[in-house]
Amino acid sequence: MAFINENYLKLPGSYLFAEIARRVTSFKDENPTADIIRLGIGDVTQPLPAACIQAMHTAVDELAKQETFRGYGPEQGYDFLIEKIIETNYTKRGITIGKDEIFVSDGSKSDCGNIQEIFGTNNIVAITDPVYPVYLDTNIMAGRTGILTENGTFEKVTYMPCTAENNFTPELPKNRVDMIYLCCPNNPTGTTLSREALTEWVNYARKNESIILFDAAYAAYITEEDVPRSIYEIEGAKEVAIEFRSFSKTAGFTGTRCGYTVIPKTVTGRSQDGSKHDFNKLWNRRHTTKFNGTAYIIQRGAEAVYSVEGQAQIKETINYYMANAKIIREGLQAAGIQAFGGVNAPYIWLKTPNNMPSWDFFDKLLHEVNIVGTPGAGFGPSGEGYFRLTSFGNKENTKRAIERIKTKLKF
Amino acid sequence: MAFINENYLKLPGSYLFAEIARRVTSFKDENPTADIIRLGIGDVTQPLPAACIQAMHTAVDELAKQETFRGYGPEQGYDFLIEKIIETNYTKRGITIGKDEIFVSDGSKSDCGNIQEIFGTNNIVAITDPVYPVYLDTNIMAGRTGILTENGTFEKVTYMPCTAENNFTPELPKNRVDMIYLCCPNNPTGTTLSREALTEWVNYARKNESIILFDAAYAAYITEEDVPRSIYEIEGAKEVAIEFRSFSKTAGFTGTRCGYTVIPKTVTGRSQDGSKHDFNKLWNRRHTTKFNGTAYIIQRGAEAVYSVEGQAQIKETINYYMANAKIIREGLQAAGIQAFGGVNAPYIWLKTPNNMPSWDFFDKLLHEVNIVGTPGAGFGPSGEGYFRLTSFGNKENTKRAIERIKTKLKF
């Protein structure tokens, strides 16, 4: 008799974006002429950089001829891409990363979700609260948590609240934690951790032999010079940190799928007998056993992001989105709503007026001004009373949305 | 202190193809002028179908314009592809499969590797022996096995030997098994299971509430009319079977990456309290949490496989490979070597002369006639004394290789 993985039964029924879709559909059914503006889901809208388009056309043509055809590539990714990643994102910032410390994948969601497999199930997981739900959900599935309690937290998980009160900087935990998920710039709050805060985390991890799982999917949006682009800018991080990067938001690859994980060979964990083991080696085994490499065409597209033209093109698109972020942030402030983020990230995190619950504010925004955003409570209990707007829409709609909030929303 | 997943330490050190690469490199270093012909790794060599090339160019262009740009797609795959899959591979064969019973992915290796996650860790795994190593390795990683014993088998796993003696048809196990991996046509033996044998398995699974994990990656190579293309051709299979399909060998997508998994909603497992749960729902949760969809460009390429031109083009390529298979099979037989498979699969499985150990035969073939194949022992203990050749090379080289075996190999 086949038994199921019962950890899945601990997962709450409805996924955040599915519930949003349900409410929007229901609203549209009742109000078929409503002019809805979506500032909700974190998906890009601008086309791919011309350099990527050209590179992918060339790659497609290569697959049409026997002499240039490519079958299985290295599961870890092609050198042509890995070398460009290292040069642009690490060497130029004074960080030394080896070619066999980079693992190209079909995107950060896969990597962030799969990375926990190489860890023991008894590790204590720490997550900032609120945060991207994949870290927690995948650890629930793997059995590293207890059940959902009445206060909205899972047993055995260490939640680190990040709210306006602590300037969205998580406190070092009082209990021992083993796997620490940090998302910086943070999804959903759009805030970043300072060099000092990150240094404290690296020092904590070194002292406690914890591992920092550092999701830098939004690194390309950082504008302030003193915010680290990579955790490896912090001394000692190469001993304790695994970093996730993505082309999704950097270059519009949400539907094109490419990301990568960095695991320095100096990052180790222990087996029960106390001996040390390289996580790089374990991940290599996982990656080569359960994954067969990212499509050649896509890797050529990703490579083109690092060309001179590609870098200029992604910068232009990021500037476009960040101009939207400024419109949202300043518009909210003008409307008397407290807003965070939006400077080093495409996300604006607002405090709901009068401490209104997130889902009530969602309904209010949808019904009164026909704008779809994302309830903060969907990202963790400390997201309650907050709300996320994103800058991935087009400028015209973003302006119209903010104008509506300023002129029509009553609170 | 972060602990590792110690199950990884149970895995044997060297992966089959890495060891082959090592031996070939070493031989080449000593014999730099040797004219090596590779009939080893199962990678395709012919270019992609023209229909796929054209479709992917169109898709790339769509991503270049805002009006046609695609961001995140459904994690389960686009309907345009799913509808074609159902129509061509199921409806036309009299099988009813719903759109929400198909999950498109980046390839069968991912699916075959990840599927075990939705099963409890106490299930008993049954694998045919020899077989594609991913089934076993991923269950070792998940902790469903004990350690490797001296006879080359893992504790707690039920091995079902498939050798010339039983016509490569696994016997029903005597102990209870919960998860049954069947690969048909089989990699590496190139043999298939008859309708009668598959019916026995489906009946066994229904009786014991086991699940059949049916890997049909090579279904497109079946030439004999009475061999089922899908497990769902067998009555009752929709209650107990999950099927994996791939575009890798069907359409040359080994470096382009697309596959899909079929999970009928009638396939259920139990929780410890005895209640039933749909595996479709569990896999949907897994797929939407840890995967963000296959690249749009690639899905458009896969869709084109089902066009009239695409179907004709893949048939031509498959015929090309199968002509090679015939050359190999008949050549081996002419050389006095017993050969199996190669009729409904691109693999030929030969019995080593004089019962020579597989790796010895590998070295003999490499050194005496400069041909690279794959040692049968690498696919499981019952593969010992066998050897795999593949028909994915070009015709000229395949002919030359067989000529060398016929005229120069001494045994």
Side-chain angles (χ1 to χ4, degrees):
Chain A
M1 183 186 295
F3 287 100
I4 65 160
N5 176 351
E6 298 203 21
N7 294 309
Y8 276 63
L9 304 181
K10 299 176 192 165
L11 291 160
S14 173
Y15 188 60
L16 175 60
F17 295 108
E19 176 60 19
I20 291 172
R22 197 189 63 73
R23 294 194 189 203
V24 173
T25 302
S26 159
F27 176 76
K28 276 165 79 175
D29 286 348
E30 291 158 28
N31 305 274
T33 61
D35 173 26
I36 294 173
I37 302 177
R38 291 173 182 274
L39 297 180
I41 194 164
D43 198 0
V44 297
T45 54
Q46 295 295 303
L48 290 189
C52 302
I53 295 292
Q54 199 184 332
M56 291 197 288
H57 275 308
T58 306
V60 169
D61 281 332
E62 285 180 62
L63 301 185
K65 295 188 233 40
Q66 185 153 17
E67 315 82 66
T68 50
F69 178 76
R70 305 261 187 155
Y72 292 123
E75 288 99 342
Q76 301 89 342
Y78 279 104
D79 275 354
F80 62 72
L81 174 56
I82 291 173
E83 285 165 5
K84 296 280 167 54
I85 289 169
I86 292 175
E87 187 194 333
T88 311
N89 290 338
Y90 297 103
T91 312
K92 280 192 182 164
R93 298 191 72 84
I95 301 161
T96 306
I97 295 289
K99 283 201 286 186
D100 51 3
E101 295 177 322
I102 302 265
F103 298 86
V104 175
S105 77
D106 69 324
S108 250
K109 189 174 174 187
S110 307
D111 290 344
C112 290
N114 293 329
I115 194 72
Q116 46 75 30
E117 286 183 32
I118 59 174
F119 289 82
T121 47
N122 290 326
N123 286 301
I124 302 294
V125 171
I127 54 166
T128 56
D129 171 22
V131 83
Y132 181 52
V134 168
Y135 317 141
L136 177 61
D137 287 357
T138 56
N139 278 293
I140 297 168
M141 291 171 170
R144 268 182 216 93
T145 75
I147 57 164
L148 182 61
T149 64
E150 276 181 19
N151 61 13
T153 60
F154 276 83
E155 289 172 353
K156 288 199 209 172
V157 175
T158 299
Y159 288 74
M160 304 181 292
C162 294
T163 59
E165 284 70 40
N166 64 8
N167 198 25
F168 301 99
T169 301
E171 270 182 44
L172 296 180
K174 288 175 186 64
N175 58 314
R176 193 207 78 218
V177 299
D178 308 308
M179 296 161 63
I180 302 157
Y181 287 89
L182 296 178
C183 183
C184 180
N186 183 270
N187 175 8
T189 68
T191 58
T192 51
L193 296 175
S194 68
R195 197 170 294 275
E196 293 65 41
L198 276 179
T199 303
E200 274 194 47
W201 275 106
V202 168
N203 290 341
Y204 172 93
R206 292 170 79 182
K207 189 174 150 200
N208 293 283
E209 293 195 18
S210 318
I211 301 295
I212 295 173
L213 300 158
F214 192 77
D215 184 352
Y218 297 92
Y221 288 81
I222 298 174
T223 57
E224 294 180 325
E225 200 39 57
D226 59 332
V227 176
R229 267 67 175 166
S230 162
I231 183 104
Y232 304 120
E233 293 184 28
I234 309 299
E235 199 191 321
K238 280 174 69 179
E239 293 167 31
V240 292
I242 292 173
E243 181 163 290
F244 305 97
R245 294 282 194 113
S246 168
F247 292 90
S248 287
K249 308 301 162 66
T250 308
F253 271 48
T254 53
T256 303
R257 313 303 315 137
C258 196
Y260 58 93
T261 293
V262 187
I263 312 189
K265 290 189 173 176
T266 37
V267 180
T268 56
R270 297 218 187 243
S271 50
Q272 296 293 333
D273 66 5
S275 58
K276 282 190 176 184
H277 301 270
D278 298 355
F279 279 113
N280 179 291
K281 206 173 157 191
L282 296 173
W283 184 248
N284 190 59
R285 192 62 159 96
R286 197 270 166 208
H287 208 60
T288 54
T289 301
K290 299 192 188 180
F291 182 67
N292 232 336
T294 304
Y296 173 69
I297 300 165
I298 307 300
Q299 289 192 63
R300 282 295 186 196
E303 180 195 18
V305 170
Y306 298 109
S307 64
V308 175
E309 303 75 32
Q311 288 287 296
Q313 288 157 4
I314 64 165
K315 199 167 176 197
E316 194 179 335
T317 303
I318 290 172
N319 288 346
Y320 176 89
Y321 293 136
M322 290 308 283
N324 288 344
K326 193 163 187 270
I327 291 167
I328 299 172
R329 202 180 67 244
E330 294 179 354
L332 290 172
Q333 285 162 348
I337 297 174
Q338 216 182 351
F340 308 93
V343 175
N344 296 310
Y347 295 131
I348 292 88
W349 188 243
L350 66 88
K351 184 79 201 73
T352 59
N354 310 318
N355 224 7
M356 183 181 281
S358 299
W359 280 105
D360 290 357
F361 189 72
F362 175 89
D363 290 332
K364 181 180 172 70
L365 215 56
L366 178 60
H367 288 260
E368 291 184 16
V369 290
N370 305 344
I371 293 170
V372 180
T374 313
F379 297 98
S382 295
E384 183 56 279
Y386 290 89
F387 199 80
R388 191 187 76 173
L389 295 177
T390 84
S391 61
F392 289 126
N394 73 48
K395 189 179 236 170
E396 189 51 41
N397 280 343
T398 303
K399 277 187 179 169
R400 286 170 56 224
I402 293 304
E403 205 50 38
R404 287 187 200 169
I405 290 177
K406 283 205 283 192
T407 57
K408 295 191 183 158
L409 194 67
K410 289 176 182 50
F411 53 88
Chain B
M1 184 186 294
F3 287 100
I4 65 160
N5 176 350
E6 297 204 21
N7 294 309
Y8 276 62
L9 304 180
K10 299 175 190 164
L11 291 159
S14 174
Y15 189 59
L16 175 59
F17 294 107
E19 176 60 19
I20 291 172
R22 197 189 62 74
R23 293 195 190 203
V24 173
T25 302
S26 158
F27 176 76
K28 276 166 79 176
D29 286 347
E30 289 159 27
N31 306 275
T33 62
D35 174 26
I36 294 173
I37 301 178
R38 292 173 180 275
L39 297 180
I41 192 164
D43 197 0
V44 298
T45 54
Q46 295 295 306
L48 290 189
C52 303
I53 295 292
Q54 199 185 331
M56 290 198 289
H57 276 309
T58 304
V60 170
D61 281 333
E62 285 180 62
L63 301 185
K65 295 189 237 29
Q66 184 152 17
E67 315 80 68
T68 50
F69 178 76
R70 304 262 189 156
Y72 292 123
E75 288 99 340
Q76 301 91 339
Y78 280 103
D79 274 355
F80 63 73
L81 174 56
I82 291 174
E83 284 166 6
K84 296 279 167 52
I85 288 170
I86 292 175
E87 186 193 334
T88 311
N89 290 338
Y90 297 103
T91 312
K92 281 191 183 164
R93 299 192 72 83
I95 301 162
T96 307
I97 295 289
K99 282 201 286 185
D100 51 1
E101 296 178 321
I102 303 264
F103 298 86
V104 175
S105 76
D106 69 324
S108 252
K109 189 176 176 187
S110 306
D111 289 343
C112 290
N114 293 329
I115 194 72
Q116 46 76 31
E117 286 181 33
I118 59 174
F119 289 83
T121 48
N122 290 327
N123 286 301
I124 302 294
V125 171
I127 54 166
T128 57
D129 171 23
V131 83
Y132 181 51
V134 168
Y135 317 141
L136 177 60
D137 287 358
T138 55
N139 278 293
I140 297 168
M141 291 171 170
R144 267 181 218 93
T145 75
I147 57 165
L148 182 61
T149 64
E150 276 181 17
N151 61 13
T153 60
F154 277 83
E155 289 172 354
K156 290 197 207 171
V157 176
T158 298
Y159 289 74
M160 305 181 291
C162 294
T163 60
E165 285 69 39
N166 64 7
N167 197 25
F168 301 98
T169 301
E171 271 181 42
L172 296 179
K174 288 174 187 63
N175 57 314
R176 192 209 76 217
V177 300
D178 309 307
M179 296 161 62
I180 302 157
Y181 287 89
L182 297 178
C183 183
C184 180
N186 184 270
N187 175 10
T189 69
T191 59
T192 51
L193 296 175
S194 68
R195 199 170 294 274
E196 293 65 40
L198 276 179
T199 303
E200 274 194 47
W201 274 108
V202 168
N203 290 341
Y204 172 93
R206 291 171 79 181
K207 191 174 148 199
N208 293 282
E209 294 196 17
S210 319
I211 302 296
I212 296 174
L213 300 158
F214 191 76
D215 185 354
Y218 298 91
Y221 289 81
I222 298 173
T223 58
E224 294 180 327
E225 201 39 58
D226 60 333
V227 175
R229 269 66 174 166
S230 163
I231 183 99
Y232 304 119
E233 293 184 29
I234 308 300
E235 199 191 321
K238 278 175 69 178
E239 293 167 31
V240 292
I242 292 172
E243 180 163 290
F244 306 98
R245 294 284 194 110
S246 168
F247 293 89
S248 286
K249 307 302 161 65
T250 308
F253 272 47
T254 54
T256 302
R257 313 303 314 137
C258 196
Y260 58 94
T261 293
V262 187
I263 312 189
K265 289 189 174 177
T266 38
V267 180
T268 56
R270 296 216 187 244
S271 50
Q272 295 294 333
D273 66 7
S275 59
K276 282 191 175 183
H277 302 270
D278 297 356
F279 279 113
N280 179 291
K281 205 173 156 189
L282 296 173
W283 183 248
N284 190 57
R285 193 63 159 96
R286 197 270 168 209
H287 208 60
T288 53
T289 302
K290 300 191 187 182
F291 181 66
N292 232 337
T294 303
Y296 174 70
I297 300 166
I298 306 302
Q299 290 193 62
R300 282 293 185 195
E303 179 194 19
V305 169
Y306 297 108
S307 65
V308 176
E309 304 76 30
Q311 289 287 295
Q313 288 157 5
I314 65 165
K315 197 166 179 198
E316 194 178 335
T317 303
I318 290 171
N319 288 345
Y320 176 89
Y321 293 136
M322 290 307 284
N324 287 344
K326 192 163 188 270
I327 291 166
I328 299 171
R329 202 180 67 244
E330 293 180 355
L332 289 172
Q333 284 162 348
I337 297 174
Q338 215 182 351
F340 308 92
V343 175
N344 295 310
Y347 296 130
I348 291 90
W349 189 243
L350 66 88
K351 182 80 200 76
T352 58
N354 310 317
N355 223 6
M356 182 183 282
S358 297
W359 280 104
D360 290 359
F361 189 73
F362 175 89
D363 289 332
K364 182 181 171 70
L365 215 58
L366 177 61
H367 287 260
E368 290 184 18
V369 290
N370 305 343
I371 293 170
V372 180
T374 311
F379 297 99
S382 295
E384 183 57 277
Y386 290 90
F387 199 81
R388 191 187 75 173
L389 295 177
T390 84
S391 62
F392 289 125
N394 74 47
K395 188 178 238 172
E396 188 52 40
N397 279 344
T398 303
K399 278 186 177 168
R400 287 169 56 224
I402 293 305
E403 205 50 38
R404 287 187 200 169
I405 290 176
K406 284 204 281 194
T407 57
K408 294 192 181 155
L409 194 68
K410 289 176 183 50
F411 53 88

mmCIF file of all heavy atoms in Angstrom, chain A residues 305-330:
data_model
loop_
_atom_site.group_PDB
_atom_site.id
_atom_site.type_symbol
_atom_site.label_atom_id
_atom_site.label_comp_id
_atom_site.label_asym_id
_atom_site.label_seq_id
_atom_site.Cartn_x
_atom_site.Cartn_y
_atom_site.Cartn_z
ATOM 1 N N VAL A 305 23.019 38.592 -21.567
ATOM 2 C CA VAL A 305 22.746 39.620 -20.552
ATOM 3 C C VAL A 305 24.048 40.313 -20.157
ATOM 4 O O VAL A 305 24.061 41.493 -19.805
ATOM 5 C CB VAL A 305 22.073 38.981 -19.308
ATOM 6 C CG1 VAL A 305 22.009 39.959 -18.145
ATOM 7 C CG2 VAL A 305 20.686 38.458 -19.663
ATOM 8 N N TYR A 306 25.155 39.581 -20.260
ATOM 9 C CA TYR A 306 26.446 40.113 -19.807
ATOM 10 C C TYR A 306 27.233 40.824 -20.902
ATOM 11 O O TYR A 306 28.337 41.287 -20.659
ATOM 12 C CB TYR A 306 27.287 38.997 -19.185
ATOM 13 C CG TYR A 306 26.631 38.406 -17.962
ATOM 14 C CD1 TYR A 306 26.080 37.129 -17.974
ATOM 15 C CD2 TYR A 306 26.521 39.164 -16.795
ATOM 16 C CE1 TYR A 306 25.454 36.605 -16.850
ATOM 17 C CE2 TYR A 306 25.896 38.644 -15.669
ATOM 18 C CZ TYR A 306 25.366 37.363 -15.710
ATOM 19 O OH TYR A 306 24.749 36.856 -14.593
ATOM 20 N N SER A 307 26.680 40.873 -22.098
ATOM 21 C CA SER A 307 27.357 41.631 -23.155
ATOM 22 C C SER A 307 27.211 43.120 -22.854
ATOM 23 O O SER A 307 26.386 43.522 -22.023
ATOM 24 C CB SER A 307 26.725 41.304 -24.512
ATOM 25 O OG SER A 307 25.381 41.737 -24.530
ATOM 26 N N VAL A 308 27.984 43.938 -23.515
ATOM 27 C CA VAL A 308 27.907 45.397 -23.302
ATOM 28 C C VAL A 308 26.485 45.872 -23.600
ATOM 29 O O VAL A 308 25.885 46.608 -22.806
ATOM 30 C CB VAL A 308 28.933 46.129 -24.205
ATOM 31 C CG1 VAL A 308 28.766 47.645 -24.068
ATOM 32 C CG2 VAL A 308 30.345 45.713 -23.835
ATOM 33 N N GLU A 309 25.928 45.403 -24.725
ATOM 34 C CA GLU A 309 24.572 45.819 -25.103
ATOM 35 C C GLU A 309 23.572 45.294 -24.074
ATOM 36 O O GLU A 309 22.665 46.006 -23.646
ATOM 37 C CB GLU A 309 24.172 45.257 -26.476
ATOM 38 C CG GLU A 309 25.111 45.615 -27.625
ATOM 39 C CD GLU A 309 26.406 44.824 -27.592
ATOM 40 O OE1 GLU A 309 26.388 43.647 -27.144
ATOM 41 O OE2 GLU A 309 27.458 45.357 -27.992
ATOM 42 N N GLY A 310 23.746 44.038 -23.697
ATOM 43 C CA GLY A 310 22.827 43.412 -22.741
ATOM 44 C C GLY A 310 22.793 44.171 -21.419
ATOM 45 O O GLY A 310 21.718 44.437 -20.869
ATOM 46 N N GLN A 311 23.969 44.541 -20.931
ATOM 47 C CA GLN A 311 24.038 45.260 -19.659
ATOM 48 C C GLN A 311 23.334 46.617 -19.761
ATOM 49 O O GLN A 311 22.623 47.029 -18.846
ATOM 50 C CB GLN A 311 25.503 45.446 -19.234
ATOM 51 C CG GLN A 311 26.172 44.154 -18.764
ATOM 52 C CD GLN A 311 25.681 43.693 -17.400
ATOM 53 O OE1 GLN A 311 25.876 44.354 -16.389
ATOM 54 N NE2 GLN A 311 25.004 42.562 -17.366
ATOM 55 N N ALA A 312 23.519 47.279 -20.908
ATOM 56 C CA ALA A 312 22.863 48.580 -21.095
ATOM 57 C C ALA A 312 21.353 48.397 -21.180
ATOM 58 O O ALA A 312 20.574 49.173 -20.617
ATOM 59 C CB ALA A 312 23.396 49.249 -22.357
ATOM 60 N N GLN A 313 20.932 47.335 -21.868
ATOM 61 C CA GLN A 313 19.494 47.107 -22.060
ATOM 62 C C GLN A 313 18.799 46.739 -20.747
ATOM 63 O O GLN A 313 17.700 47.217 -20.461
ATOM 64 C CB GLN A 313 19.277 46.022 -23.125
ATOM 65 C CG GLN A 313 19.618 46.527 -24.529
ATOM 66 C CD GLN A 313 19.970 45.409 -25.508
ATOM 67 O OE1 GLN A 313 19.907 44.223 -25.180
ATOM 68 N NE2 GLN A 313 20.350 45.793 -26.718
ATOM 69 N N ILE A 314 19.422 45.888 -19.938
ATOM 70 C CA ILE A 314 18.750 45.537 -18.680
ATOM 71 C C ILE A 314 18.704 46.750 -17.759
ATOM 72 O O ILE A 314 17.742 46.942 -17.021
ATOM 73 C CB ILE A 314 19.372 44.315 -17.946
ATOM 74 C CG1 ILE A 314 20.802 44.581 -17.491
ATOM 75 C CG2 ILE A 314 19.309 43.054 -18.784
ATOM 76 C CD1 ILE A 314 21.308 43.559 -16.467
ATOM 77 N N LYS A 315 19.736 47.577 -17.834
ATOM 78 C CA LYS A 315 19.757 48.775 -16.982
ATOM 79 C C LYS A 315 18.583 49.693 -17.341
ATOM 80 O O LYS A 315 17.914 50.239 -16.456
ATOM 81 C CB LYS A 315 21.086 49.509 -17.164
ATOM 82 C CG LYS A 315 21.361 50.457 -16.026
ATOM 83 C CD LYS A 315 22.784 50.961 -15.988
ATOM 84 C CE LYS A 315 22.897 51.993 -14.855
ATOM 85 N NZ LYS A 315 24.085 52.809 -14.966
ATOM 86 N N GLU A 316 18.354 49.815 -18.628
ATOM 87 C CA GLU A 316 17.259 50.675 -19.088
ATOM 88 C C GLU A 316 15.909 50.163 -18.559
ATOM 89 O O GLU A 316 15.077 50.928 -18.072
ATOM 90 C CB GLU A 316 17.257 50.688 -20.620
ATOM 91 C CG GLU A 316 16.400 51.782 -21.219
ATOM 92 C CD GLU A 316 16.475 51.757 -22.749
ATOM 93 O OE1 GLU A 316 17.496 51.264 -23.291
ATOM 94 O OE2 GLU A 316 15.508 52.187 -23.388
ATOM 95 N N THR A 317 15.698 48.863 -18.650
ATOM 96 C CA THR A 317 14.436 48.289 -18.175
ATOM 97 C C THR A 317 14.299 48.420 -16.655
ATOM 98 O O THR A 317 13.235 48.758 -16.143
ATOM 99 C CB THR A 317 14.344 46.806 -18.590
ATOM 100 O OG1 THR A 317 14.478 46.733 -20.001
ATOM 101 C CG2 THR A 317 13.015 46.204 -18.192
ATOM 102 N N ILE A 318 15.387 48.148 -15.953
ATOM 103 C CA ILE A 318 15.344 48.273 -14.489
ATOM 104 C C ILE A 318 15.045 49.721 -14.102
ATOM 105 O O ILE A 318 14.236 49.984 -13.201
ATOM 106 C CB ILE A 318 16.662 47.754 -13.867
ATOM 107 C CG1 ILE A 318 16.728 46.230 -14.018
ATOM 108 C CG2 ILE A 318 16.780 48.172 -12.405
ATOM 109 C CD1 ILE A 318 18.049 45.607 -13.635
ATOM 110 N N ASN A 319 15.653 50.659 -14.804
ATOM 111 C CA ASN A 319 15.365 52.079 -14.535
ATOM 112 C C ASN A 319 13.888 52.399 -14.766
ATOM 113 O O ASN A 319 13.294 53.182 -14.039
ATOM 114 C CB ASN A 319 16.236 52.978 -15.417
ATOM 115 C CG ASN A 319 17.694 52.969 -14.965
ATOM 116 O OD1 ASN A 319 18.001 52.514 -13.861
ATOM 117 N ND2 ASN A 319 18.583 53.446 -15.813
ATOM 118 N N TYR A 320 13.345 51.786 -15.795
ATOM 119 C CA TYR A 320 11.922 51.985 -16.094
ATOM 120 C C TYR A 320 11.065 51.535 -14.908
ATOM 121 O O TYR A 320 10.196 52.266 -14.429
ATOM 122 C CB TYR A 320 11.565 51.193 -17.361
ATOM 123 C CG TYR A 320 10.101 51.233 -17.749
ATOM 124 C CD1 TYR A 320 9.612 52.239 -18.581
ATOM 125 C CD2 TYR A 320 9.205 50.264 -17.295
ATOM 126 C CE1 TYR A 320 8.263 52.281 -18.942
ATOM 127 C CE2 TYR A 320 7.868 50.297 -17.650
ATOM 128 C CZ TYR A 320 7.396 51.299 -18.473
ATOM 129 O OH TYR A 320 6.075 51.334 -18.833
ATOM 130 N N TYR A 321 11.342 50.311 -14.427
ATOM 131 C CA TYR A 321 10.571 49.795 -13.295
ATOM 132 C C TYR A 321 10.811 50.657 -12.043
ATOM 133 O O TYR A 321 9.877 50.925 -11.275
ATOM 134 C CB TYR A 321 10.948 48.344 -12.981
ATOM 135 C CG TYR A 321 10.556 47.338 -14.056
ATOM 136 C CD1 TYR A 321 11.436 46.333 -14.454
ATOM 137 C CD2 TYR A 321 9.295 47.369 -14.649
ATOM 138 C CE1 TYR A 321 11.084 45.395 -15.417
ATOM 139 C CE2 TYR A 321 8.931 46.432 -15.614
ATOM 140 C CZ TYR A 321 9.837 45.447 -15.997
ATOM 141 O OH TYR A 321 9.481 44.528 -16.945
ATOM 142 N N MET A 322 12.053 51.067 -11.853
ATOM 143 C CA MET A 322 12.355 51.826 -10.635
ATOM 144 C C MET A 322 11.738 53.230 -10.667
ATOM 145 O O MET A 322 11.461 53.814 -9.611
ATOM 146 C CB MET A 322 13.875 51.867 -10.405
ATOM 147 C CG MET A 322 14.446 50.503 -9.997
ATOM 148 S SD MET A 322 13.580 49.708 -8.587
ATOM 149 C CE MET A 322 14.264 50.659 -7.232
ATOM 150 N N ALA A 323 11.522 53.739 -11.878
ATOM 151 C CA ALA A 323 10.791 55.011 -11.985
ATOM 152 C C ALA A 323 9.349 54.796 -11.522
ATOM 153 O O ALA A 323 8.773 55.643 -10.827
ATOM 154 C CB ALA A 323 10.834 55.517 -13.422
ATOM 155 N N ASN A 324 8.774 53.643 -11.867
ATOM 156 C CA ASN A 324 7.437 53.293 -11.352
ATOM 157 C C ASN A 324 7.451 53.193 -9.822
ATOM 158 O O ASN A 324 6.524 53.634 -9.150
ATOM 159 C CB ASN A 324 6.970 51.945 -11.911
ATOM 160 C CG ASN A 324 6.589 52.016 -13.378
ATOM 161 O OD1 ASN A 324 6.386 53.109 -13.918
ATOM 162 N ND2 ASN A 324 6.501 50.866 -14.019
ATOM 163 N N ALA A 325 8.505 52.575 -9.314
ATOM 164 C CA ALA A 325 8.611 52.404 -7.858
ATOM 165 C C ALA A 325 8.576 53.765 -7.164
ATOM 166 O O ALA A 325 7.926 53.939 -6.125
ATOM 167 C CB ALA A 325 9.894 51.652 -7.502
ATOM 168 N N LYS A 326 9.261 54.729 -7.769
ATOM 169 C CA LYS A 326 9.310 56.084 -7.200
ATOM 170 C C LYS A 326 7.909 56.710 -7.230
ATOM 171 O O LYS A 326 7.483 57.325 -6.236
ATOM 172 C CB LYS A 326 10.289 56.918 -8.039
ATOM 173 C CG LYS A 326 10.682 58.239 -7.411
ATOM 174 C CD LYS A 326 11.953 58.768 -8.108
ATOM 175 C CE LYS A 326 12.489 60.010 -7.410
ATOM 176 N NZ LYS A 326 11.946 61.246 -7.944
ATOM 177 N N ILE A 327 7.210 56.519 -8.344
ATOM 178 C CA ILE A 327 5.848 57.057 -8.467
ATOM 179 C C ILE A 327 4.956 56.479 -7.358
ATOM 180 O O ILE A 327 4.213 57.199 -6.697
ATOM 181 C CB ILE A 327 5.256 56.707 -9.858
ATOM 182 C CG1 ILE A 327 5.988 57.484 -10.945
ATOM 183 C CG2 ILE A 327 3.751 56.976 -9.898
ATOM 184 C CD1 ILE A 327 5.702 56.982 -12.364
ATOM 185 N N ILE A 328 5.078 55.169 -7.149
ATOM 186 C CA ILE A 328 4.244 54.508 -6.137
ATOM 187 C C ILE A 328 4.605 54.994 -4.735
ATOM 188 O O ILE A 328 3.739 55.408 -3.964
ATOM 189 C CB ILE A 328 4.386 52.964 -6.223
ATOM 190 C CG1 ILE A 328 3.939 52.457 -7.601
ATOM 191 C CG2 ILE A 328 3.569 52.293 -5.113
ATOM 192 C CD1 ILE A 328 4.222 50.982 -7.857
ATOM 193 N N ARG A 329 5.873 54.956 -4.450
ATOM 194 C CA ARG A 329 6.323 55.304 -3.094
ATOM 195 C C ARG A 329 5.932 56.740 -2.742
ATOM 196 O O ARG A 329 5.333 57.005 -1.702
ATOM 197 C CB ARG A 329 7.838 55.131 -3.023
ATOM 198 C CG ARG A 329 8.379 54.932 -1.619
ATOM 199 C CD ARG A 329 9.891 54.765 -1.621
ATOM 200 N NE ARG A 329 10.560 55.990 -2.023
ATOM 201 C CZ ARG A 329 11.308 56.142 -3.113
ATOM 202 N NH1 ARG A 329 11.487 55.131 -3.942
ATOM 203 N NH2 ARG A 329 11.876 57.296 -3.386
ATOM 204 N N GLU A 330 6.248 57.655 -3.661
ATOM 205 C CA GLU A 330 5.975 59.061 -3.379
ATOM 206 C C GLU A 330 4.468 59.346 -3.392
ATOM 207 O O GLU A 330 3.987 60.146 -2.592
ATOM 208 C CB GLU A 330 6.727 59.950 -4.373
ATOM 209 C CG GLU A 330 8.237 59.826 -4.170
ATOM 210 C CD GLU A 330 9.054 60.677 -5.136
ATOM 211 O OE1 GLU A 330 8.464 61.293 -6.061
ATOM 212 O OE2 GLU A 330 10.293 60.723 -4.967
#
